[in-house]
Amino acid sequence: MTQLSLLSVPYRAAQRSISIVFALAFFAFSGGAALGGFLGALGGILLAGLVILAIVGFEFARYQRFEYELTPDTFDIRSGVFSRRNREIPYRRIQNVDISRNIAQRLFDIAAVDLETAGGDDTEGSLHFVSYDEALRIQREVARLKRGEADEAAPEPDRDVLFELEPRELAIVGALSFDLRLPGAVLVFGSSIFPVLASFADIPIPLTGIAALLFGISLLVLLVAFIAWATGFVSAVLNYYGFRLTRVGDELQYERGLLQRYNGSIPLDKLQTLTIEDNPLKRHFGYATLYVETAGYTPGGDSSGSGRARRGSEAAIPLSRRERVVQLIEDLEGVSPPEFERPPTRIRRRYAVRNSLVLVAITLGLFAMNWVLPQAIPWYAPLILIPGAVMAGVYQWRHRGHGLTENHFVTRNGFWKRTTRFVPYYRIQTIIQRRTPFQRRWRVSTVTADTAGTLSLVGGDAAAVDIDAGDATVLQNRLNERLGDALVKRREQRQRARQAALGISTGGNHVESDVTDADDTADADTNSDVDDTANVNHNADADRTTNEPADPFVYSGPITRSDEQDGVENGENGGASDGIDDEDSDEDGDTVDSEEDQDTETGDADKSTSKPDESDDSGYDGGTSSDRR
């Protein structure tokens, strides 16, 4: 067993002591001195010293009791001063091994290592802190053991630098970034500072009437925009400074950050979705951003204001020429943007009417305010924007579409923030067709391909929006067929790979050999690491269907089920379904935690929309843990 770095003791003790010391020092030299004079201040200092000694003692005991080991199959962690906890994390469940270091940690030459598994809301295992060289060794060893290489002397795969952010591109990233996380504080600050600025200004500023109202609103909007841009610029530069993306074998490794330096890995076989994101400014200058999504949890995720922090998504390319982004997608997945099929042309009227109704509602609100305010206001002003609302509807329709390639479902949505998503068929968990009352009036539907990625929890799925109702049913059936074919093909490829690894020769196309039985003990958990089954939710107005194979390696046709089981239609995805790749998505499934009193806790099985054979070790099985206190 290996221990943490000894330098973690003073570093963690200093982290914990700073706030306590400041609080006690303030008491000692303010209230304590007033109550007890010199003795009161001295007592506060002594109390602070005792607290520091207690913290140092606890951290040293934690250092002595914290051990980890890389076994052939699992990453084991033993920790706990008063309550012992033993954890075993199978390598095949580990999505990312992330290394982070701030300025102080770089001075101490230590780093934090976080192990992320699929579907988790938090870090599965953390080592705070080890030496930086040890952190890099752990990252390399976990990658090697995941590949199944037993020989420690095996040469490391070649490192191919795919992308490196240049200073000019970093400046463009900052210039095109806006951080809107502080609009409330900016509004409050602006509303309170405006009268002060007006009193010191030498230029004539209207202080009463409609002119003053319009001037104040305009100044406040400009202030909010400037602060949002400045905050986004600083955040983007700090977040993406020195960004580099490297391909090492079957993994993508990235480095980024100025104050907080991150070094993480993205397994290629864990990718759920690739997303190209742009906005009007980026499109005008020919730039785009590429995000890769896994089923895991991303520590210290994107903090540039894009809202992607801690959602299992990482920027593979923060900003580059669009041609370069498309080329990287083609290199990774062998797919390029197809010819998109747009919604019916009549939908342009729907978007135009919807945008115009928003302006009409604002106009009616201002008209009602006109009766309350002592002075009349131009309540009809929003109506001037109706032509712009109509044009916005046309652009919204123009930038929306979907397409099917040989191996991917591709969708495009949005104008102000346009996203193009590439989803491999075998990654699809659920196919849902939805129709709102307004869509039924326009005879259109939305077809959504749900994946195991955590972005799906916040509406980030690939969706073909507002397509003709008849075409939606055809698209749903085609996706279902291609999903089944992709699962069978992937299962056969994995089966042949396992047979080749075991040195078993097969005759012809017979892939249903007993290799899994021969290796049942050594590879029981990986027998179902293919998306063996997928659930398909049909039209909300019809009975739901689901794929439920009798054998976890055989894809069979859908069977009907009652409406009591259609929770997925209403967004109750329950975390995953059995279509999830056993390796690709595990909600702490095979991580074993134990504490000293041997209490056994069996996690409740997640809600799923299809169930394979009971012997199938599906990724989202809830897992088993035992605790010893």
Side-chain angles (χ1 to χ4, degrees), residues 412-607:
R412 184 179 66 186
N413 291 288
F415 171 70
W416 298 108
K417 189 178 75 170
R418 189 176 68 177
T419 57
T420 305
R421 291 189 168 89
F422 299 80
V423 182
Y425 294 129
Y426 67 88
R427 295 297 188 193
I428 297 176
Q429 297 296 301
T430 310
I431 305 170
I432 307 170
Q433 183 181 165
R434 290 191 178 93
R435 301 180 68 189
T436 66
F438 299 103
Q439 286 180 315
R440 284 196 290 270
R441 181 178 179 273
W442 289 88
R443 304 184 308 281
V444 294
S445 299
T446 296
V447 177
T448 303
D450 182 27
T451 65
T454 49
L455 281 179
S456 62
L457 302 178
V458 290
D461 286 318
V465 182
D466 289 338
I467 60 178
D468 189 86
D471 294 339
T473 302
V474 173
L475 175 62
Q476 187 177 22
N477 292 334
R478 292 181 65 186
L479 283 175
N480 187 24
E481 293 172 0
R482 298 197 180 194
L483 169 61
D485 294 340
L487 293 180
V488 171
K489 181 179 179 181
R490 184 170 172 83
R491 183 261 301 169
E492 292 175 351
Q493 291 175 345
R494 293 291 183 90
Q495 197 82 325
R496 286 194 293 267
R498 280 200 288 275
Q499 290 173 345
L502 295 173
I504 301 177
S505 60
T506 58
N509 295 324
H510 181 67
V511 296
E512 297 294 339
S513 67
D514 293 333
V515 62
T516 51
D517 296 331
D519 196 39
D520 185 56
T521 302
D523 199 29
D525 288 332
T526 58
N527 283 342
S528 59
D529 63 353
V530 183
D531 301 88
D532 306 309
T533 168
N535 171 58
V536 178
N537 245 2
H538 290 293
N539 196 318
D541 301 328
D543 289 338
R544 278 64 174 174
T545 62
T546 184
N547 301 323
E548 184 169 321
D551 187 292
F553 285 109
V554 179
Y555 178 85
S556 60
I559 61 173
T560 58
R561 62 187 178 93
S562 66
D563 285 341
E564 295 177 357
Q565 295 174 303
D566 64 350
V568 176
E569 174 83 8
N570 298 319
E572 299 171 2
N573 199 23
S577 67
D578 290 318
I580 298 173
D581 190 331
D582 185 59
E583 285 191 4
D584 298 339
S585 47
D586 171 40
E587 230 169 341
D588 302 342
D590 282 26
T591 301
V592 179
D593 297 338
S594 61
E595 297 185 5
E596 289 194 354
D597 56 6
Q598 296 293 340
D599 295 333
T600 301
E601 301 174 359
T602 302
D604 296 335
D606 288 339
K607 295 179 180 178

Side-chain angles (χ1 to χ4, degrees), residues 168-179:
R168 176 176 172 272
E169 292 174 325
L170 178 62
I172 296 176
V173 171
L176 298 180
S177 297
F178 289 86
D179 192 342

